[in-house]
Amino acid sequence: MKKQLLAAALCSVMLLTGCGAAPAVQPDNGSAPEDGTEPVSVVQRMDLDTMAFGGCASLTLAGNLAAAKAADTDYETAADQTYFSGTSEQAWQRLLSGTLDVVLAYEPDSETKKQLEAEGIEWIEVGRDALVFLSGANRQMDMTKEDILAAYQNGGSETCTGYASAPGSEERDMFTAVFGTDDAGVTVQSGEDTLTAACPHTEGTICYTTYLSLLQNGKPQNTQVVAVDGILPNVREEEEQVYPLQVPYYIAVRSGTDENDPAMLLMQWLSSENGKAWLAQNVELALPEEEVVMPEAS
């Protein structure tokens, strides 16, 4: 696959504006971000026409932000040329088969890890996502991890019933990773949208999504974000209180990729401290169609 290396300094910070429209890229004056991190280091411009970049659907927002930055283009153009769909395991298999050159996905399962290792493929953490619970009837709730788990066992607890994603879904796998056990809540049928079809959003119910999906799609009507141990979702590690239900996500390139290949350069940038800081900051600047306003945790 032919690669075109076009030298470009990528030292801007994305400011995303929304109300349903694709985020717009607005360069700054080259100064360091307010959080004190160094400006993004120079990388080669990525040619999306000659490189297949994708991953799982839940990481669409983060992936397209990175693609737009590295290709020096706008979010909408980048989104048209990337391949974010399905689950992480499907994304890893696309990388193994050579369908994708570079992948962004959550941690592979044990069998997939063996396949990746056999191919000499390394996966490197670039960011963190979180499992976010939503309570019905706009009720503000503060739950412990044990409270949440109780809502998903034996038909629910005395005070709360949990609605689960379909078996095999990204969110369901994330629940297992976070809690160490699969959920047994009220399960939706395969193909249904947990946040619209399954969870009735009534008093005494909770359902879940990922933090990045919440930022991308907005908070469903008649719901409130649940605080866990008094902490609302925030994936930035520099905060004093870190939301407890977090999981990492990773980048990897196909086997045999040259060190000067745009895919390898993209991985090197996103896995650097500057790249991680840039991605975390700009994910937080994403404004969905319905802006997610977090209530004060009690």
Side-chain angles (χ1 to χ4, degrees), residues 134-141 143 147 150-152 155-163 186 199-207 222 226:
L134 302 165
S135 64
N138 282 317
R139 181 184 174 190
Q140 293 189 14
M141 297 178 66
M143 305 178 73
D147 292 335
Y152 283 87
S157 66
E158 293 182 1
T159 58
C160 195
T161 299
Y163 278 75
V186 180
C199 184
H201 304 157
T202 55
E203 184 80 20
T205 64
I206 57 173
C207 52
N222 205 33
V226 173

Side-chain angles (χ1 to χ4, degrees), residues 137-212:
N138 282 317
R139 181 184 174 190
Q140 293 189 14
M141 297 178 66
D142 187 351
M143 305 178 73
T144 66
K145 191 173 178 180
E146 291 72 24
D147 292 335
I148 293 171
L149 191 56
Y152 283 87
Q153 295 178 333
N154 302 318
S157 66
E158 293 182 1
T159 58
C160 195
T161 299
Y163 278 75
S165 291
S169 66
E170 196 78 73
E171 294 82 3
R172 184 76 170 253
D173 289 344
M174 191 180 292
F175 187 103
T176 303
V178 167
F179 289 93
T181 182
D182 193 10
D183 62 54
V186 180
T187 306
V188 307
Q189 297 296 314
S190 178
E192 282 187 316
D193 183 341
T194 307
L195 299 182
T196 57
C199 184
H201 304 157
T202 55
E203 184 80 20
T205 64
I206 57 173
C207 52
Y208 56 85
T209 184
T210 70
Y211 185 59
L212 289 177

